[in-house]
Amino acid sequence: MDTGYSYATDGRQDWPGESGFSSAGFRPAWWINPGQRDRVKPPLDAFCNATNNCNSANPPDCPDAKCYEKYWWRGSNVTWKANCDADCGNESIKYVTLREEPGGGTRLKHGTPTCAAAPAGALIVESIPDNVETYSSCGSSGTDAGSFQFTFHPNPAATGPGLGPYEAKGDLHQIGGGQGGHFWYTHTRDTAHLGGPKARMTIDGTWTLGRSVEWARVFAHMPDTGAHTQQAHYVIKGVAGGDRHRYVNTRFGENTWVELGVYRFTSTPRVELTNTTDDGTADEDIAWDAVAFQPLSAKPKHMVVAMGDSYTSGEGSGAYSPESDRGHGKSSWNACRRGDNAWPRKVILPGQTKTVGALADSSDPALSFQVTACSGAKTGLLVHQSRNVTDHRF
């Protein structure tokens, strides 16, 4: 039986050509003494002999338990291979069995749940149905403001429309951490690793708000484990003028709400997240936790986007946000080095008494603020897909 897939004992997926790759679903046992392979089953006389009035040359065909007790059951252990080290078979295990399951969400930085924290006035949509008991200290999921739905895609080689195995379900997991004590996670995948639009290992998740809002600030919750990708692709739908795309570095999420922006919705507010990423080699995780919609009474007075290179991102100012300071100084570094002391955050806008940074940190309804500045950025990057060259967190 060939499964087509191979996994290392640490859970990482092996790929053809790599050391350790074996896609066999079952591998035969092996014997030091091959002649003992034929003695896998005990001989008849091990259980049927003169001690229980049984003739192994003509064993009885017992019709009931009483017969078995009389002729077959001997009431003691039976040994038919005295030297098991040399004569017994040896199993071949691909998956190590002595590996503990993920924790229940009660250990610091290993799936710690957040039971009540949320942006002020926000409408939260969880990743599980209402009133589900979670495996965490949060208890029941209670009721939320919408619904969540996964979409899986069948193997294109399956026969018949919509038929065939949904293989991605085998790589979908859950843990008792994150917002409300539950989130889902899986591996990220690009097209070379069976991902991509409607590919058989692609998983798409959609949060849908159960009411209408016009203006709202949107947040996504990042659990403290189970989310590593730097390219989580969120699509905000129902927005006036079409979908909006935001890419989030989830690696440094520690039960935090990440703002995805302020939008005017003209139809049902929805947020989609896929496990397809440009760097998805099935090694890193992506998580579906919770989404929040914070209704606003009107469009924010100030809509500000800070773009630029190191002069704008805050290079040299210190206190960089962790998700934008990964791998600096390495040959393949992609650290944008966005700092709290960058000049766009120090600006005081007309009619305001607080800085842009202070207004943004408090999610003030007067401001929508996004920073895409990146140390080393060039003008030409404005016309390319920036996620391919930078470590953006929008």
Side-chain angles (χ1 to χ4, degrees):
M1 174 181 173
D2 191 337
T3 66
Y5 303 103
S6 174
Y7 290 89
T9 54
D10 62 0
R12 178 189 180 277
Q13 184 168 352
D14 297 324
W15 297 95
E18 293 182 338
S19 175
F21 177 83
S22 173
S23 58
F26 300 97
R27 289 187 284 178
W30 54 273
W31 279 260
I32 296 176
N33 181 357
Q36 290 291 330
R37 181 167 186 160
D38 294 335
R39 300 193 67 206
V40 171
K41 294 191 301 182
L44 276 177
D45 59 11
F47 295 95
C48 178
N49 55 39
T51 63
N52 56 353
N53 302 312
C54 185
N55 180 7
S56 60
N58 187 27
D61 184 9
C62 285
D64 54 34
K66 288 294 183 181
C67 177
Y68 279 107
E69 291 174 4
K70 180 179 179 180
Y71 292 109
W72 291 94
W73 176 251
R74 293 186 55 189
S76 62
N77 293 331
V78 173
T79 300
W80 69 96
K81 290 189 177 183
N83 184 10
C84 195
D85 288 343
D87 296 338
C88 291
N90 298 270
E91 60 184 344
S92 184
I93 299 176
K94 176 63 177 175
Y95 303 99
V96 173
T97 57
L98 300 180
R99 289 181 60 82
E100 62 178 319
E101 293 292 327
T106 58
R107 297 174 296 166
L108 182 63
K109 294 188 182 302
H110 290 280
T112 308
T114 298
C115 301
L123 303 170
I124 297 178
V125 181
E126 300 279 3
S127 60
I128 51 176
D130 291 346
N131 302 314
V132 172
E133 290 295 322
T134 62
Y135 186 57
S136 74
S137 57
C138 296
S140 171
S141 62
T143 57
D144 63 18
S147 61
F148 178 79
Q149 180 67 49
F150 276 123
T151 300
F152 301 93
H153 309 281
N155 187 335
T159 59
L163 300 178
Y166 292 83
E167 298 173 49
K169 292 182 179 182
D171 194 27
L172 180 64
H173 318 280
Q174 55 188 323
I175 195 169
Q179 171 65 29
H182 179 277
F183 67 89
W184 305 90
Y185 65 99
T186 189
H187 290 99
T188 57
R189 296 178 181 271
D190 59 16
T191 55
H193 294 82
L194 310 178
K198 297 184 178 181
R200 66 179 189 260
M201 292 304 290
T202 294
I203 303 176
D204 302 314
T206 303
W207 296 266
T208 301
L209 186 63
R211 54 166 283 188
S212 297
V213 295
E214 184 175 9
W215 286 95
R217 193 186 308 272
V218 181
F219 299 86
H221 193 267
M222 303 293 124
D224 64 357
T225 188
H228 311 132
T229 179
Q230 299 180 69
Q231 297 183 356
H233 180 192
Y234 289 88
V235 182
I236 300 87
K237 306 183 80 69
V239 179
D243 297 346
R244 299 293 191 273
H245 300 259
R246 295 293 180 263
Y247 294 85
V248 176
N249 181 351
T250 66
R251 185 179 295 271
F252 296 91
E254 295 185 0
N255 282 334
T256 54
W257 288 96
V258 173
E259 182 179 335
L260 301 180
V262 174
Y263 306 96
R264 178 174 175 258
F265 292 95
T266 54
S267 61
T268 303
R270 306 185 309 282
V271 177
E272 294 183 356
L273 174 64
T274 179
N275 68 323
T276 294
T277 65
D278 286 343
D279 63 349
T281 56
D283 298 323
E284 295 187 325
D285 292 343
I286 192 167
W288 293 268
D289 194 341
V291 161
F293 299 84
Q294 185 183 49
L296 303 177
S297 59
K299 176 182 178 180
K301 181 178 180 180
H302 303 286
M303 306 284 283
V304 180
V305 177
M307 297 183 293
D309 56 12
S310 56
Y311 288 98
T312 306
S313 70
E315 177 74 49
S317 65
Y320 306 118
S321 58
E323 84 286 347
S324 71
D325 191 29
R326 179 175 180 266
H328 185 265
K330 298 180 180 179
S331 59
S332 60
W333 72 275
N334 58 358
C336 285
R337 309 295 289 271
R338 302 189 186 107
D340 290 342
N341 293 318
W343 71 260
R345 289 179 51 87
K346 298 296 186 180
V347 170
I348 297 179
L349 299 168
Q352 302 296 322
T353 58
K354 298 180 180 180
T355 64
V356 165
L359 294 174
D361 292 343
S362 63
S363 300
D364 194 289
L367 175 70
S368 172
F369 180 56
Q370 300 293 327
V371 181
T372 63
C374 193
S375 181
K378 300 179 181 179
T379 305
L381 299 178
L382 295 175
V383 296
H384 294 288
Q385 291 180 315
S386 58
R387 66 184 187 278
N388 292 333
V389 292
T390 64
D391 180 13
H392 278 13
R393 165 177 150 175
F394 288 88

